């Protein structure tokens, strides 16, 4: 028995267990006919929905799981045969096929929605929810979150524009509460919201600490390999005691790894940033093509925007939960949007603290929200900092446009270029 047994790797084990339990609970909800809310990762509002005992499901996570489990093409083909264009977001098409299959999913059974809650963080969310509206005639609530007009020009707490935006969000949240009361048949309980926000505060602290701990060399987790599991727990269990416990334990695990110099890969040589959405159809192989060269992703914009902007250092004020929820949602969702549209400057600020050697941009066919502008962001980052970078194009769902051999050639050439620029550090 190793002395690390029981600590190292327990985050991944616990994350997998939590997700198995989550899918089982969803299937049980379907069996009991309880109302279920469909929500999205950027502005899920689960802290509020939980107070009405509404089980939530994340269609984006359900969809990406079909790709990780190598069956996404079956779902995509079914949706395309039904009439959806090959060009639109693969997550939407996988979900359409899931609905056509009456919720049959490789991890269990996904119940139909009784309510859909979304934000304007991605325009696809709005069209996607209209599909459920047509299929099931369920109410759709769209929270309009005022975005940033330009990088560095976001209004800040205390400023009149910020207060006006906050009041606008708070008024919409009050409408959502009324809708949730109607759908769930339960009265709003502000003490339950307080409790949920308390757990969310602890998770936010944990999430930011996890990201910060990867400044260590060697890196203690891969921003894609393990980071995506941590991200899933952060989204699905936000505002819960289980989520808080998971992050408390995870921070302990990663601090242990930092203290003992335990890296996530055996021989770390290159520290990389990942920009975009992962390549789920070959998820494991994708990271291997980097780790085989000693490359590790130390941070990723995905961990920013797909967590709904949870890397923003915001703590809900439990003395004024509703106002504070509005403020937190405004700050975090706005940050998530900025992480997709203005990421080059934020990336530049990571280079030194994370000891970055290169940046990998992954543009994907079916997500224009994240991929549009990636080439410009790359040029901007390279122009401002001279950071070596690699630009890959594939998809997060559709294996028909993922060419592993071509990708490997480009990745190999990237590392050969990196090797000529810096002395290789043997760990
Ligand atoms: S952000 Fe991209 S992947 Fe997510 S729903 Fe929007 S278009 Fe699809």
């Amino acid at each position: 028995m190793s002395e690390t047994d029981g600590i190292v790797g327990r985050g991944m084990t616990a994350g997998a267990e939590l997700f198995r339990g989550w899918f089982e609970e969803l299937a049980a909800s379907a069996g009991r006919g309880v109302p279920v809310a469909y929500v999205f990762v950027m502005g899920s509002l689960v802290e509020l929905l939980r107070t009405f005992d509404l089980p939530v499901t994340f269609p984006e996570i359900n969809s990406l799981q079909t790709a990780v489990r190598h069956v996404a093409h079956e779902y995509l083909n079914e949706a395309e045969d039904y009439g959806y264009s090959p060009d639109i977001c693969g997550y939407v098409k996988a979900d359409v096929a899931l609905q056509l299959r009456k919720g049959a999913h490789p991890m269990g059974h996904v119940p139909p929605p009784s309510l859909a809650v979304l934000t304007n963080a991605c325009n696809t969310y709005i069209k996607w929810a209209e599909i459920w509206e047509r299929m099931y005639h369920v109410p759709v609530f769209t929270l309009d979150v005022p975005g940033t007009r330009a990088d560095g020009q976001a209004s800040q707490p205390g400023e009149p524009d910020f207060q006006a935006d906050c009041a606008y969000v708070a008024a919409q949240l009050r409408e959502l509460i009324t809708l949730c009361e109607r759908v769930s048949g339960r009265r709003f309980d502000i003490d339950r919201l307080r409790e949920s926000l308390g757990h969310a505060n602890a998770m936010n602290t944990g999430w930011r600490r996890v990201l910060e701990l990867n400044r260590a060399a060697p890196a203690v987790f891969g921003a894609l390999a393990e980071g995506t599991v941590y991200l899933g727990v952060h989204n699905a269990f936000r505002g819960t005691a289980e989520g808080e416990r998971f992050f408390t334990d995870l921070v302990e695990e990663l601090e242990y790894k930092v203290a003992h110099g335990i890296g996530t890969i055996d021989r770390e040589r290159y520290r990389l940033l990942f920009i975009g959405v992962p390549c789920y159809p070959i998820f494991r192989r994708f990271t291997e093509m980097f780790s085989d060269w000693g490359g590790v992703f130390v941070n990723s914009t995905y961990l920013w925007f797909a967590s709904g902007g949870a890397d923003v250092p915001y703590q809900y004020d439990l003395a004024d939960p509703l106002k504070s929820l509005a403020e937190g949602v405004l700050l975090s969702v706005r940050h998530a949007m900025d992480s997709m549209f203005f990421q080059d400057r934020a990336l530049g600020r990571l280079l030194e603290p994370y000891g970055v050697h290169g940046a990998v941009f992954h543009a994907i066919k079916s997500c224009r929200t994240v991929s549009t502008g990636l080439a410009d962001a790359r040029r901007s980052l390279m122009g401002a900092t001279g950071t070596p970078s690699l630009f890959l194009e594939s998809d997060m769902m559709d294996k028909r446009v993922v060419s592993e051999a071509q990708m490997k050639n480009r990745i190999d050439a990237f590392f050969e270029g990196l090797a000529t620029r810096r002395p290789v550090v043997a760990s």
Side-chain angles (χ1 to χ4, degrees):
M1 279 251 302
S2 151
E3 65 185 40
T4 69
D5 280 356
I7 295 187
V8 174
R10 74 180 174 193
M12 292 296 280
T13 310
E17 266 171 31
L18 281 172
F19 266 98
R20 267 194 300 277
W22 189 57
F23 270 98
E24 279 166 17
E25 208 180 304
L26 271 180
S29 306
R32 293 198 309 272
V34 287
V36 170
Y38 277 28
V39 301
F40 293 92
V41 295
M42 292 189 283
S44 67
L45 295 169
V46 287
E47 299 94 325
L48 179 63
L49 297 177
R50 288 193 197 294
T51 68
F52 295 95
D53 289 330
L54 280 167
V56 293
T57 183
F58 289 79
E60 295 146 299
I61 298 178
N62 298 338
S63 292
L64 76 85
Q65 284 290 347
T66 65
V68 171
R69 280 153 208 280
H70 307 294
V71 291
H73 57 284
E74 296 171 16
Y75 287 75
L76 297 179
N77 286 338
E78 194 168 330
E80 286 173 17
D81 288 346
Y82 189 71
Y84 283 88
S85 160
D87 284 339
I88 64 165
C89 172
Y91 284 172
V92 176
K93 283 184 292 182
D95 174 69
V96 166
L98 178 93
Q99 304 305 337
L100 294 174
R101 292 176 180 205
K102 305 214 174 311
H105 185 276
M107 289 188 76
H109 185 85
V110 178
S114 308
L115 162 72
V117 177
L118 54 137
T119 66
N120 55 326
C122 169
N123 55 353
T124 295
Y125 287 175
I126 295 164
K127 304 310 289 179
W128 191 347
E130 286 174 3
I131 297 173
W132 304 321
E133 210 172 17
R134 282 196 299 273
M135 279 183 165
Y136 300 108
H137 308 289
V138 293
V140 168
F141 181 87
T142 307
L143 180 74
D144 182 27
V145 180
T148 305
R149 303 295 180 272
D151 183 35
Q153 291 186 16
S155 60
Q156 297 300 319
E159 294 175 7
D161 280 356
F162 186 84
Q163 296 316 120
D165 286 351
C166 251
Y168 176 56
V169 172
Q172 294 177 74
L173 291 182
R174 283 194 286 275
E175 286 174 19
L176 176 59
I177 287 171
T178 306
L179 178 58
C180 288
E181 286 184 330
R182 179 156 64 79
V183 171
S184 69
R186 288 177 186 274
R187 294 299 302 272
F188 173 56
D189 180 343
I190 199 153
D191 288 326
R192 288 195 67 186
L193 178 61
R194 228 175 239 121
E195 189 186 324
S196 170
L197 296 185
H199 293 310
N201 279 346
M203 289 177 75
N204 175 267
T205 304
W207 178 248
R208 286 184 296 108
R209 179 72 179 140
V210 165
L211 297 182
E212 181 186 61
L213 283 166
N214 233 20
R215 294 179 181 195
V220 287
F221 72 96
L224 286 190
E226 294 100 332
T228 305
V229 174
Y230 306 160
L231 171 71
V233 175
H234 193 280
N235 281 325
F237 292 87
R238 188 189 298 225
T240 64
E242 299 106 296
E244 178 174 344
R245 204 172 314 119
F246 175 87
F247 276 93
T248 304
D249 290 349
L250 181 61
V251 166
E252 187 186 43
E253 174 188 340
L254 299 185
E255 285 179 342
Y256 178 92
K257 289 178 80 173
V258 171
H260 292 80
I262 303 170
T264 183
I265 63 171
D266 286 342
R267 285 171 59 81
E268 175 179 308
R269 293 176 170 212
Y270 302 103
R271 298 169 63 81
L272 307 169
L273 296 175
F274 180 85
I275 301 102
V277 179
C279 184
Y280 285 118
I282 53 163
F283 188 54
R284 180 190 292 240
R285 182 67 195 127
F286 185 86
T287 45
E288 276 173 4
M289 286 191 272
F290 291 89
S291 59
D292 287 349
W293 282 88
V296 61
F297 292 109
V298 293
N299 207 327
S300 160
T301 57
Y302 192 57
L303 299 181
W304 310 346
F305 61 78
S307 67
D311 50 309
V312 162
Y314 184 76
Q315 293 283 287
Y316 295 117
D317 175 4
L318 304 189
D320 196 351
L322 254 185
K323 180 167 176 261
S324 185
L325 178 63
E327 194 168 274
V329 166
L330 173 60
L331 283 169
S332 57
V333 175
R334 198 176 69 176
H335 176 69
M337 291 193 263
D338 287 354
S339 300
M340 296 185 289
F341 305 136
F342 305 118
Q343 72 274 69
D344 52 320
R345 295 194 198 179
L347 289 168
R349 289 192 287 271
L350 293 186
L351 299 177
E352 204 184 314
Y354 283 82
V356 171
H357 302 120
V360 177
F361 291 80
H362 183 227
I364 51 176
K365 177 197 75 157
S366 66
C367 175
R368 297 197 180 98
T369 307
V370 173
S371 303
T372 305
L374 272 195
D376 288 337
R378 178 200 193 193
R379 201 166 40 236
S380 166
L381 182 71
M382 286 177 73
T385 66
T387 307
S389 67
L390 171 67
F391 198 86
L392 297 171
E393 290 172 285
S394 74
D395 199 55
M396 82 294 199
M397 288 289 288
D398 192 346
K399 70 174 189 179
R400 294 168 299 191
V401 293
V402 178
S403 168
E404 188 183 315
Q406 201 180 62
M407 214 180 246
K408 184 171 182 327
N409 279 344
R410 304 204 55 206
I411 292 168
D412 290 349
F414 172 63
F415 280 110
E416 282 160 14
L418 276 185
T420 63
R421 290 176 65 111
R422 63 177 293 272
V424 170
V425 181
S427 56

